[in-house]
Amino acid sequence: LQDEETRKDYDYMLDHPEEYYRHYYHYYSRRLAPKVDVRIVILVTVCAISVFQFFSWWSSYNEAINYLATVPKYRIQATEIARQQGLLNKTREKGKNRRSKEEIREEEEEIIKDIIKNKIDIKGGYQKPKIYDILLFQILLAPFYLCKYVIWYCWWIYCFSIKGQEYGVEEKLYIIRRYMKMSQSQFDSLEDHQKETFLERQLWIRENYEVYKREQEEELKKKMAMDPRWKRYRRWMKNEGPGRLTFIDD
């Protein structure tokens, strides 16, 4: 009874002995209550998720770099740049600094990967991770992002709904991305010629986008109809199918 709250519960029990279920509840709720501050638990959980996110993104980014280093198109370009900068000549030193072929090959590989990192802008899920994209910073910067969005939304309403200005290229692409229900990283990963096609077809206009969407759906159906794997799957669904019931006479 050293705690003030438990003393109050004890006094209440003496005054109301008939409410034994309530007394049991308060006793066990205090006995089994966690001793650690919930805020600390939440903070540690968010930090752990953020660390996992960051290292997971770095792993994906390195996988993308390792893959691009095996693609002849990018490897040849990176090797040519390394030769022009004299980086490959440094790995073939003679005399006391002479190294084994394996060490030279590994160093040349690292040089090529570094050039690919600097020259190629990888977008989408394999892009270079940024510390501001992890969960911890997203939570801390949430008020800033909210204020930024409110200001941007007011500016959009004022410019295009009230003043009736024409959309710029960025605004048109934004509307197209919203119609396609794509995130910013997904849309950025598209090729430039695809975005130019979107603008040429004026897909920021809803009617034009609906036509484009139907065309893409029809094209997808045709590809699936001609795909041998899809044909086999349709035959299997028709002849066998999951959960097909057969009745056999005894």
Side-chain angles (χ1 to χ4, degrees):
L1 299 177
Q2 295 179 356
D3 185 75
E4 183 178 352
E5 294 296 327
T6 56
R7 285 199 300 270
K8 288 181 180 180
D9 288 341
Y10 180 73
D11 294 336
Y12 186 87
M13 182 192 69
L14 295 178
D15 296 335
H16 305 83
E18 71 281 358
E19 299 181 13
Y20 46 88
Y21 288 116
R22 182 181 184 277
H23 305 323
Y24 273 116
Y25 169 75
H26 280 278
Y27 171 75
Y28 284 107
S29 63
R30 294 185 184 280
R31 188 72 179 271
L32 302 176
K35 305 300 181 182
V36 182
D37 193 343
V38 177
R39 293 170 295 182
I40 297 177
V41 175
I42 294 175
L43 178 61
V44 171
T45 303
V46 170
C47 291
I49 294 173
S50 301
V51 171
F52 175 78
Q53 274 184 327
F54 190 73
F55 283 102
S56 176
W57 288 342
W58 261 112
S59 177
S60 299
Y61 175 69
N62 289 327
E63 286 179 7
I65 295 297
N66 292 334
Y67 170 74
L68 292 176
T70 62
V71 177
K73 172 184 175 182
Y74 300 110
R75 188 175 184 86
I76 292 172
Q77 292 179 359
T79 304
E80 186 63 28
I81 294 173
R83 285 202 184 97
Q84 292 175 0
Q85 296 178 356
L87 299 175
L88 296 181
N89 297 330
K90 295 180 181 179
T91 63
R92 303 178 182 276
E93 296 175 350
K94 299 180 179 180
K96 295 181 179 180
N97 297 326
R98 186 174 182 180
R99 284 161 293 180
S100 64
K101 293 183 178 180
E102 184 66 22
E103 291 176 341
I104 294 174
R105 189 188 65 79
E106 291 179 357
E107 188 171 347
E108 290 179 351
E109 193 71 19
E110 290 299 323
I111 291 172
I112 291 173
K113 289 180 181 178
D114 288 337
I115 292 175
I116 291 175
K117 288 179 183 179
N118 296 327
K119 296 296 182 180
I120 298 180
D121 182 19
I122 301 176
K123 298 179 180 179
Y126 293 92
Q127 65 184 359
K128 189 174 183 179
K130 299 178 182 177
I131 194 169
Y132 293 107
D133 292 335
I134 65 177
L135 179 62
L136 178 60
F137 281 94
Q138 289 294 305
I139 293 175
L140 294 176
L141 297 174
F144 168 75
Y145 290 139
L146 180 61
C147 294
K148 185 178 179 181
Y149 175 77
V150 171
I151 294 172
W152 172 85
Y153 186 76
C154 294
W155 169 83
W156 183 282
I157 295 296
Y158 174 74
C159 291
F160 303 114
S161 298
I162 298 176
K163 295 184 67 175
Q165 296 181 3
E166 293 186 1
Y167 295 127
V169 175
E170 294 297 327
E171 289 76 25
K172 293 175 181 177
L173 291 175
Y174 169 77
I175 296 173
I176 295 171
R177 179 175 69 82
R178 292 296 300 270
Y179 285 162
M180 293 183 172
K181 298 179 181 179
M182 300 174 66
S183 64
Q184 186 65 54
S185 59
Q186 290 174 327
F187 195 77
D188 290 340
S189 64
L190 297 177
E191 299 291 339
D192 291 337
H193 67 85
Q194 290 179 288
K195 298 177 182 178
E196 292 175 0
T197 303
F198 298 159
L199 295 173
E200 290 174 0
R201 299 195 56 173
Q202 299 182 350
L203 297 188
W204 67 89
I205 301 174
R206 188 73 188 192
E207 293 77 11
N208 295 343
Y209 173 74
E210 293 297 335
V211 174
Y212 173 81
K213 183 180 178 181
R214 287 194 294 269
E215 291 176 357
Q216 293 298 309
E217 291 174 351
E218 290 296 327
E219 184 176 350
L220 180 60
K221 290 179 181 178
K222 291 179 181 178
K223 288 182 179 179
M224 294 177 67
M226 299 300 294
D227 189 351
R229 291 175 297 179
W230 183 246
K231 289 181 179 179
R232 289 196 298 269
Y233 175 74
R234 288 203 307 270
R235 285 197 301 268
W236 177 78
M237 288 293 294
K238 182 179 179 181
N239 299 327
E240 304 287 340
R244 184 179 178 87
L245 297 177
T246 58
F247 297 92
I248 302 176
D249 295 334
D250 294 334

